[in-house]
Amino acid sequence: MANVKLSQAVSYALDELNYGSAEYARAYRFAIRALDELRLDITGGAATVTLPVSCNLTVPLPDDFIRETKVGIWGANNTIIALTRSNDLSFETAIQDYEYVDPNENYYKLNDERFNTYVTESLGKGSYANVGYFRIDYTAKLIILNPEFTYSEIVLEYLKREEVDGEYTVDERLLESVAAYIRYKWHIGKKGTSLGERREYERLWHKEKRNAKYRINKPLIQDMNRSAREGTKGGLKS
Amino acid sequence: MASTKELVYRLWRKLEGGFIPDDSKFTYRELKGYIRSGIGLALKQNYYESLNADEYRYGADTISATSTLTVQADATTGLKYITLPASTINVAGNRQNIVTSKNPIARYTTSYVPVRAEEVFVAKLQPSIPCVVLYYKEGNKLFFYNGIVTDTEVKLTQRYALPTDDDAELGLDDYENQIIAQAMQLIINPQIPSDRANDGVPNI
């Protein structure tokens, strides 16, 4: 996978539209927006961080957080054991009354009545590994954990906002997508462009985006073979 | 290809019916004004004809004037700028003044990109465009920003610029007769004064 300068994608679009340097600045700004779009859906790299759990069982999100991809704790063999998302958790995080449990452990047991619930485990058929519950408060930028959570750290894998220092670059497999986006946005507000043309440019942009997605996230034959084998189930034969 | 001076004298000879006498009622400066207006109109006509003939937005490549200018610094703001030697025809957009380094195809040359003065405001609210120097026009100056201008001299190509040198060739062979005809029409068209009193005597 080679990265090329974003200005190359811009030059493709300008060449096609028969424009020159006077349109470069505007086209480049469209290209930056195209990169953001593609990063959110296709190429965004996930960052993994270990975050400490606060006394009120919350974890502040990193500043460059866009979207979570995995929330869990460290397991054996460098794996992440995922927590279970629960929308039943309240966003209330103020500690009403607490009891310090153990000087060696970094958590507090909450004595608030709201937290006098029993822990439900996942058992039996259809069960899953359940080591804790979480809910994300996007407004307050916090991860809320359940009161019974006992770990001092969590692992967050998330899509991060990228800070660009210097020239923007783009995966070469996305060049046509960026050019299609520039074409689409250029015509969306252009005087004299008919509704049909605008829809066509939008359709072409989505088509190029899909092509880019298939190029980048192409499944391997070995992965498909493994999925097929894992899906094989035995059944009674009459 | 004729120059402004040639067109002026061509017009003058037509008006005088031949040799230009010493006591001619016309002056060079006066006739030049008519010719320059005709040149501006011809340039604009050529520009729009080029747009119609081709989708290329910059007009005919042959009608441009190139000059090398020294980059100066504004004492109050510190912004680097150049002073435009000539004015261009009035068309929308920012394609008339193209700035490049003296060698625009060198590997490490600075790229200059024009923006409209209104775009400067919008651009400030968005991520900046890396690795280029932007410039906008204010009056008869082009101000640079968004990057460091290391060149002490830059090359300016002005498209569809009204000539500053009367002896410079215009490159408007197709329009020379039209320019002279328009000037003639303005000069020889008699002006009938109005007769407000309606007594048959014109008001002067």
Side-chain angles (χ1 to χ4, degrees), chain B residues 1-7 10 168-173 176:
Chain B
M1 285 190 283
S3 63
T4 305
K5 190 183 274 185
E6 284 174 17
L7 290 178
R10 220 186 281 178
E169 287 185 352
L170 294 169
L172 292 170
D173 293 3
E176 285 172 6

Side-chain angles (χ1 to χ4, degrees), chain A residues 19-23 25 29 166, chain B residues 57-58 94-95 113 119 126 130:
Chain A
Y19 287 142
S21 60
E23 289 77 21
R29 287 193 286 271
Chain B
R57 297 278 157 186
Y58 290 71
N94 53 355
R95 303 182 182 112
V113 172
E119 272 187 72
Q126 298 186 43

Side-chain angles (χ1 to χ4, degrees), chain B residues 136-148:
Chain B
Y136 63 95
K137 187 176 170 208
E138 201 171 275
N140 68 335
K141 292 180 181 166
L142 294 182
F143 286 93
F144 300 102
Y145 74 104
N146 191 60
I148 299 171

